[in-house]
Every structure is written in C-alpha cells, then in structure tokens.
C-alpha cells in the first residue's frame, strides 16, 4: 500500500531522517516507536503527506506522491488523521465536530460510528462536557467518517491514562482487522506491542 524509498529529511542543517525505506501493506497495524526527537513523528508526517521529504520517494498503491495534483482531495479520499491533541472545536457538538471532516455524512452514519466506539450517547454533547478519553474517541470517529484506507496517528494516547490508552489501541486494532491500514507513532512500547509490525526509529534511522 505504502512504499517509501531512501527517505532523508533535514530541518535547516539538522538531519532528522536518514535513508529510510519501508513497505506497509493493506490492513497492517504498524507502530513507529522511539524517544522524543528520534524522528518518528517526522517519518509519520512524511508518510501521511503532511511533510515533503528533502529527498526520497513515496508511493501509495503505486501512485507516486509527487504526481498527485490535488493533495487535499487525495487526503480526504484516502487518509484519516489522529493527533495527540484532538483539536476538537469547543463550540461545536460531537456530531458537528465529526461532520467537519465529511459534510455529506448523515446523522445516522455518525451515530453508528459513535456506537461502534462506545460513545453514541455523546452525540449532542460539547467537548468540554466529556472526558479526555471520550474526546480522543471522538477524534477517532472524525478520522474514520470518510472510511479512509489508512489512518495515521501521532502519539494518540499521549494525554490519556493507561486504561483509555489501551482502549484507543484496541479500537485501532479492531479497524485494522477489518482492512484499514493503521500507522501509529508512539513512545509507549507496551502499546506498540499490540501492532503487527514495530519499527524503531533512533537518531533518524530505522532499527
């Protein structure tokens, strides 16, 4: 599904990634682990099209990223994003926050997705009325509402306790088992162990 070849990236004169190559198959659950500053978030950003590498090639289903003319449309059709900070809008309800990612989604579609995530009863609540773990599940729903082929998650449990962190990874693993490709950057090796494949990023290189 995703093939990366010889990825190298610099921030000014600082080398963040060096000559990284990897293949991610459809439906795989992949964890990128590493300490803060190791390069794992940079790698995730490049794989998810949010950052262009200084050098190297990336393709998605044999389509080279450089040949994609409308990257925003490509992302909407293929990619879901989950971040450490959920970025929900406080003056919008849970339903309205999710609908921002797909204006065509019906209330029934949103409700069904929330039910799958165990938070159907929160559909008309506002972000400041629900817990951190519930907000992160809303963020997952927002990432899934377009039925993306692949989900990228950057430290999605960074602000959660151990119980909610485990719950988030179990949810992601469940979607992976149904064919959605999942790529997660995390510093938590115990959670990373739930993935099918683990890549360790150290000093900008894959271990």
């Amino acid at each position: 599904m995703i093939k990366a070849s010889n990825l190298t990236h610099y921030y000014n004169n600082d080398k963040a990634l060096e000559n990284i190559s990897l293949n991610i198959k459809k439906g795989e659950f992949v964890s990128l682990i590493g300490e803060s500053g190791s390069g794992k978030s940079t790698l995730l950003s490049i794989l998810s099209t949010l950052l262009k590498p200084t050098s190297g090639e990336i393709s998605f289903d044999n389509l080279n990223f450089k040949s994609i003319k409308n990257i925003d449309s490509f992302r909407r059709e293929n990619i879901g994003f989950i971040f450490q900070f959920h970025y929900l809008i406080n003056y919008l309800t849970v339903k309205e926050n999710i609908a921002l990612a797909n204006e065509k989604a019906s209330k029934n579609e949103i409700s069904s997705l929330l039910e799958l995530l165990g938070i159907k009863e929160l559909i008309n609540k506002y972000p400041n009325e629900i817990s951190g773990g519930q907000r992160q599940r809303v963020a997952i729903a927002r990432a899934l509402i377009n039925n993306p082929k692949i989900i990228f998650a950057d430290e999605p449990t960074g602000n959660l306790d151990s119980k909610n962190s485990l719950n988030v990874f179990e949810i992601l693993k469940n979607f992976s088992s149904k064919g959605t490709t999942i790529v997660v950057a995390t510093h938590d090796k115990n959670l990373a162990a739930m993935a099918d494949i683990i890549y360790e990023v150290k000093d900008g290189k894959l271990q």
Side-chain angles (χ1 to χ4, degrees):
M1 171 168 271
I2 292 182
K3 183 177 182 180
S5 302
N6 305 314
L7 296 179
T8 295
H9 191 71
Y10 285 86
Y11 292 110
N12 296 318
N13 293 322
D14 295 325
K15 185 182 290 184
L17 296 178
E18 182 177 355
N19 199 34
I20 285 180
S21 298
L22 55 81
N23 288 310
I24 299 172
K25 299 176 183 177
K26 183 181 184 302
E28 280 188 335
F29 186 173
V30 175
S31 285
L32 304 174
I33 64 171
E35 300 299 325
S36 178
S38 64
K40 67 181 185 301
S41 290
T42 298
L43 177 57
L44 188 84
S45 295
I46 291 174
L47 293 176
S48 64
T49 76
L50 294 177
L51 180 67
K52 291 184 178 180
T54 303
S55 63
E57 299 288 332
I58 312 174
S59 60
F60 182 93
D61 283 347
N62 296 316
L63 174 67
N64 192 296
F65 280 2
K66 292 179 180 178
S67 67
I68 299 172
K69 295 181 179 179
N70 189 331
I71 194 65
D72 290 331
S73 177
F74 175 83
R75 289 173 185 152
R76 281 194 301 271
E77 294 171 3
N78 296 284
I79 297 174
F81 297 97
I82 306 169
F83 302 99
Q84 177 176 354
F85 303 101
H86 45 73
Y87 298 116
L88 300 180
I89 298 173
N90 284 327
Y91 60 81
L92 297 179
T93 65
V94 164
K95 179 177 77 68
E96 291 167 340
N97 267 284
I98 295 169
L100 284 176
N102 183 354
E103 295 177 354
K104 296 180 180 179
S106 68
K107 183 177 180 179
N108 283 340
E109 288 175 317
I110 293 173
S111 180
S112 295
L113 186 53
L114 291 175
E115 184 175 18
L116 189 63
L117 295 171
I119 51 172
K120 181 181 178 181
E121 72 282 1
L122 304 180
I123 190 167
N124 292 315
K125 295 284 188 180
Y126 290 87
N128 60 0
E129 296 177 325
I130 62 180
S131 72
Q134 290 168 334
R135 287 194 292 269
Q136 193 61 298
R137 276 186 273 180
V138 174
I140 293 173
R142 183 180 56 191
L144 290 167
I145 194 61
N146 285 329
N147 295 313
K149 295 179 181 178
I150 184 166
I151 290 177
F152 291 96
D154 191 5
E155 296 285 3
T157 62
N159 291 319
L160 302 180
D161 59 27
S162 57
K163 180 181 178 180
N164 280 306
S165 295
L166 180 61
N167 181 256
V168 166
F169 266 69
E170 287 174 341
I171 289 168
L172 294 175
K173 190 168 183 64
N174 180 49
F175 277 95
S176 173
S177 70
K178 296 177 180 178
T180 304
T181 305
I182 309 289
V183 184
V184 181
T186 181
H187 66 276
D188 191 320
K189 292 184 178 181
N190 291 327
L191 292 174
M194 296 175 66
D196 302 317
I197 297 176
I198 302 171
Y199 291 105
E200 182 176 6
V201 185
K202 186 175 183 179
D203 298 327
K205 300 178 181 179
L206 279 190
Q207 301 296 303

